[in-house]
Amino acid sequence: MNLERFYWLAILIAVIWAVQGVNLISGYALNDWFGLIPRSIGGLDGVVMMPFLHGSLSHIASNTVPLVVLGGLLTLTAPRLILQASAIVVVFGGLGLWLFGASAIHVGASGLIFGWFGFLVTRGLIEKRPLPLLVAIGVAFFYGTMIWGLLPGQPGVSWEAHLFGCLAGVFAGYALRSRA
């Protein structure tokens, strides 16, 4: 296996952790400056910046493992679609959150995680080729409980980011079908 294929993921994780370091030192001022604030022009840059910002060390730590696992699965099964799928998830998921999310500062990579989840499952189900289908089944089995994160209930958790990220991932799965 060519490990160079995974450099993009290592760089993404490193950048997210570097931003966390700056955010921690600044007292999480970056979240106020660049977090997604629904229906606020000043919070619109959060559509792109939100995945790089986190509210605590435990928040970023809990997002790192699924980023590595799902990003790794994307690298193995859809290397030519990573950029397109991720862009669709970030832009459409972020805009959905910006339009319909609760009034708060939304930060974290979980919208991207839920988007990759939706993309991998959708792609496997609609393409029905052996590897993407096997990945879809595995992702659904190991990460299927993520579905509960699409519902409101846990204070301080942006279920809307999860929902719109997942919907954007499903859309990306349909929009990019048979292009890998």
Side-chain angles (χ1 to χ4, degrees):
M1 179 183 348
N2 185 354
L3 291 179
E4 290 176 7
R5 293 172 57 181
F6 295 91
Y7 283 170
W8 75 272
L9 185 57
I11 291 167
L12 175 66
I13 301 296
V15 168
I16 289 172
W17 275 92
V19 169
Q20 173 63 21
V22 172
N23 212 4
L24 182 65
I25 291 167
S26 73
Y28 290 94
L30 296 180
N31 291 353
D32 294 333
W33 297 339
F34 300 112
L36 190 151
I37 303 169
R39 294 166 303 285
S40 163
I41 297 300
L44 195 53
D45 55 356
V47 167
V48 174
M49 296 303 296
M50 184 179 141
F52 298 98
L53 303 169
H54 289 81
S56 67
L57 288 172
S58 63
H59 184 205
I60 191 172
S62 68
N63 279 341
T64 299
V65 172
L67 280 170
V68 169
V69 172
L70 297 175
L73 290 170
L74 270 172
T75 300
L76 291 172
T77 64
R80 290 178 285 193
L81 299 179
I82 293 167
L83 185 59
Q84 293 170 299
S86 298
I88 289 170
V89 167
V90 168
V91 171
F92 287 104
L95 288 174
L97 176 60
W98 188 81
L99 286 169
F100 302 108
S103 293
I105 298 174
H106 297 264
V107 296
S110 58
L112 181 60
I113 292 165
F114 275 80
W116 286 350
F117 170 86
F119 174 78
L120 288 167
V121 171
T122 300
R123 182 169 178 262
L125 293 176
I126 64 173
E127 291 195 10
K128 296 182 178 93
R129 290 183 296 125
L131 185 57
L133 184 57
L134 183 62
V135 167
I137 292 167
V139 166
F141 180 77
F142 287 105
Y143 283 99
T145 58
M146 283 177 47
I147 204 80
W148 298 113
L150 302 176
L151 303 172
Q154 191 173 354
V157 173
S158 179
W159 66 272
E160 302 102 318
H162 300 170
L163 175 65
F164 289 111
C166 189
L167 291 173
V170 169
F171 172 73
Y174 278 103
L176 301 174
R177 67 188 172 275
S178 300
R179 292 191 187 178

